[in-house]
Amino acid sequence: MTVIEQPRQLVRYGSPTGRWVLFATVLGSALTFIDATVVNIALPHIGRDFHAGAAALQWTVNGYTLSLASLILLGGSLGDRFGRRRVFVTGIIWFAAASLLCGLAPDVQVLIAARVVQGIGGALLTPGSLAILEASFHPDDRGRAIGAWSGLGGIAGALGPFVGGWLVQVSTWRLVFLINAPLAALVVAVGLRHIPESRDPGAARGLDVPGVVLAATSLGGLTYGFTAWPTNGPGSAAVATSLGVGVASLIGFVFAERRSAHPMLPLDVFRSRAFTAANLATFAVYAALGGVFFLVVLNLQIVAGYSALGAGTAMLPITVLMLLLSARAGALAQRIGPRLPMTIGPLVCAAAMLLFSRIGAHASYVSSVLPAVIVLGLGTSLNVAPLTATALGSLDESRAGIASGVNNAVARAAGLLAVAVLPLAAGLGTGSLTNAATLAPVYRTSMYICAGLLAAGSIIAAIAIPTRLERVREQQSHELHCAIDGPPLRAECKA
C-alpha cells in the first residue's frame, strides 16, 4: 500500500501553463484580499443606507474574518481529500454567490449573514491557492512562484482602497461586492482549463465536525472578549464568559484533534520542527503586521490629520516593494536556505516599527511616514515568501493542503487577535480610538509591542528554522517509507 499519488507533470515557472496557474491562484486569492480592504472604505455608506450602529458595522467586518479564520483549516483538509483544484474552484463560486447576496442585501442583518457565508468561501479558496502552487510547480520553482503570489497578492490588497473608493464615489457601495462575480467567472474558467488536479490519497474520509465547531467557538469567544474588554471592563459578565468559553473551546479543540479519527488539524504535523517553528514565527510576524496595518492607517487619519484616501495611499510603497522583491526573495531563499532571510526580515520590520512610532500630529509624509513605509516594505519582502515557503515545504507534498491551511489560519488568527488585544495591551482602557489624545500614546506603545513581536519572530527563525528544506523533505520521505512498507524494512529504518 502507498499513500503517494501517481506521478504527474510538474509545471515550470516560465511556461505558459505555469503562468496560467499563477494567474488563477493570484486572482482567486486577490478576491479575498481586495474584499478585506474595500469593505472598510464602504462602511460609512453602508451605515448611512441601513442606519446601522457601530456594532453592526464592526460585525460586517468581523463576521467575514471569523468564519474565514475558523474554517480555513477545514478548507485545506478538504482540498487534500477531494482535490485542491476542485475545492479551490468551489470556493471561488461560493465566494461569488455570497458576494452577490452582500451586494443585494436589503438590510444590515442580511449583509452580516452574507459576510459570514462569504468567509466560508474564502476559507475554501485561500489555502487551495497556496497548496496548488506547492503541488503543481517543480521544486526548483516553488519558492519563486510563492514569492510572485505574495507580491501580486499584495498589489491586489493595495488596489482595494482605490477601487473601492472609486466605486463608492461614482456609484454605490453595492458594486464593491457585485464586482466579484465577473472576476470569479474568469478564475473558474482559467482554473478548470489550466490548473492540474492534485490530492492526497491517504487523506481522512470523514469530516471533523467537533474540531470545526470548537475552533470557531474558541476564536469567536476570544475575539469578542478582548474587543469588549476596554469598554465593559474585565469584570463584565459578557467579557469573562466570552474569554472563558474561548479558552475552554481551545483546550477542547486540542483534545478533540488528538482523539479524532479524521482530525481537521492532525497534531502529528507539529512533529516537524521546521513546520512548528515556521508557524510560531508566522504568528509573531503576522500579529505585528496585523496591528500595524490597522493602527497606522487609523493614526494617520485621527492624529496626523490625513484623509482616508491619503492614509491608504501612504502605505502603497510597501506593495510596490513586495511586487519588485518578493519573487527574488523567494528565489534567494531557495538558493541559500530560509533561515537567514527569516531572521533578518523581521528585524528590518522591527526597525520600521520604531520609525512608525515617531508619527504624530501633522507628520510630514516625506520625512516621517515614507522612511518607515520603505523599511517595512523591504523587511516584509525579505521575510514573507521564505516564511510561507518554509511552512509549506516543511511537510511532505501530499500534506500541502494541511500545511497551507494551518499557516493561513495562524496568520489570520494572529492578525484578528492583534487588532483585539493590542489597544488593550497598550493601555487604551475605556478610551476611544477615534480620539486623537487617547490614540496617540496607545499607538506609540503598540508600535513598541509590535517591534517586540517581530524580534521574537526573528529569534524563533534563527534558532529553529533549518538551513535547507531539502534535508527536511528527505528525512520525512525516509520516515514515510519506513511507516508504509511494513515490518521487513523497519529494522533497517531504525538502524
Side-chain angles (χ1 to χ4, degrees):
M1 176 182 175
T2 180
V3 296
I4 304 299
E5 196 176 20
Q6 290 297 318
R8 62 184 181 278
Q9 187 68 38
L10 297 175
V11 301
R12 302 307 300 247
Y13 183 82
S15 67
T17 300
R19 286 192 288 268
W20 280 118
V21 170
L22 190 61
F23 173 83
T25 54
V26 168
L27 184 56
S29 300
L31 292 178
T32 63
F33 295 156
I34 292 174
D35 191 83
T37 55
V38 299
V39 170
N40 292 332
I41 299 295
L43 282 179
H45 299 267
I46 294 172
R48 284 197 296 269
D49 282 2
F50 289 149
H51 306 289
L57 294 181
Q58 185 177 8
W59 277 106
T60 301
V61 176
N62 286 349
Y64 172 82
T65 308
L66 282 172
S67 60
L68 174 63
S70 300
L71 300 177
I72 203 167
L73 276 173
L74 179 63
S77 59
L78 288 175
D80 285 345
R81 175 181 172 184
F82 295 108
R84 289 148 191 152
R85 182 184 67 179
R86 177 182 298 177
V87 172
F88 175 75
V89 170
T90 300
I92 292 290
I93 296 171
W94 187 308
F95 188 90
S99 297
L100 289 175
L101 182 57
C102 289
L104 300 174
D107 54 50
V108 73
Q109 288 78 20
V110 173
L111 176 61
I112 292 171
R115 287 284 286 163
V116 173
V117 175
Q118 195 182 34
I120 298 173
L124 294 175
L125 72 91
T126 301
S129 62
L130 278 171
I132 285 169
L133 295 180
E134 178 73 9
S136 300
F137 278 91
H138 190 278
D140 293 342
D141 292 334
R142 284 173 187 156
R144 192 177 178 190
I146 291 171
W149 179 90
S150 300
L152 293 171
I155 289 181
L159 288 176
F162 295 100
V163 174
W166 180 76
L167 290 175
V168 170
Q169 183 174 335
V170 302
S171 182
T172 170
W173 61 265
R174 296 180 183 275
L175 279 183
V176 165
F177 297 105
L178 297 177
I179 196 175
N180 289 334
L183 296 176
L186 178 59
V187 175
V188 170
V190 174
L192 291 176
R193 180 175 179 82
H194 296 285
I195 295 177
E197 185 60 283
S198 63
R199 58 173 57 82
D200 176 11
R205 310 311 298 171
L207 295 179
D208 181 17
V209 176
V212 172
V213 173
L214 287 168
T217 303
S218 173
L219 192 56
L222 292 173
T223 303
Y224 179 84
F226 283 122
T227 302
W229 186 324
T231 301
N232 299 334
S236 164
V239 171
T241 301
S242 296
L243 293 178
V245 168
V247 172
S249 299
L250 179 60
I251 296 172
F253 174 74
V254 174
F255 279 101
E257 297 309 278
R258 289 181 62 184
R259 301 184 63 178
S260 175
H262 40 77
M264 180 174 67
L265 173 57
L267 297 180
D268 65 317
V269 298
F270 294 106
R271 293 175 185 169
S272 167
R273 180 183 179 186
F275 183 74
T276 302
N279 282 285
L280 287 174
T282 294
F283 188 88
V285 168
Y286 277 86
L289 294 179
V292 166
F293 284 108
F294 171 67
L295 288 171
V296 167
V297 174
L298 199 62
N299 184 70
L300 286 174
Q301 295 179 74
I302 295 172
V303 176
Y306 286 44
S307 67
L309 184 59
T313 307
M315 308 298 279
L316 186 60
I318 297 175
T319 302
V320 175
L321 288 170
M322 289 192 69
L323 172 64
L324 296 175
L325 301 177
S326 287
R328 291 177 173 86
L332 175 64
Q334 192 87 26
R335 289 198 307 271
I336 69 173
R339 178 187 293 172
L340 189 59
M342 288 177 61
T343 300
I344 296 176
L347 291 179
V348 175
C349 292
M353 300 305 101
L354 301 180
L355 294 174
F356 274 120
S357 70
R358 299 164 52 241
I359 299 174
H362 311 296
S364 164
Y365 180 74
V366 174
S367 62
S368 298
V369 181
L370 185 58
V373 169
I374 290 176
V375 173
L376 181 59
L378 292 173
T380 304
S381 300
L382 184 61
N383 183 62
V384 168
L387 179 60
T388 306
T390 301
L392 268 65
S394 298
L395 298 182
D396 186 82
E397 181 185 311
S398 65
R399 311 190 84 176
I402 288 292
S404 175
V406 171
N407 192 243
N408 269 283
V410 169
R412 304 278 180 172
L416 183 64
L417 292 174
V419 171
V421 173
L422 263 180
L424 175 65
L428 177 64
T430 59
S432 172
L433 288 175
T434 58
N435 179 275
T438 302
L439 176 60
V442 169
Y443 165 79
R444 188 164 50 250
T445 303
S446 295
M447 293 302 102
Y448 296 150
I449 295 173
C450 289
L453 287 169
L454 289 161
S458 174
I459 293 170
I460 292 169
I463 294 174
I465 295 297
T467 54
R468 294 292 183 190
L469 284 180
E470 289 83 357
R471 296 175 186 172
V472 177
R473 279 274 176 90
E474 288 172 4
Q475 177 64 25
Q476 289 179 340
S477 298
H478 180 67
E479 292 172 354
L480 181 63
H481 173 73
C482 294
I484 65 178
D485 282 338
L489 290 179
R490 292 190 186 274
E492 174 188 337
C493 291
K494 293 178 181 178

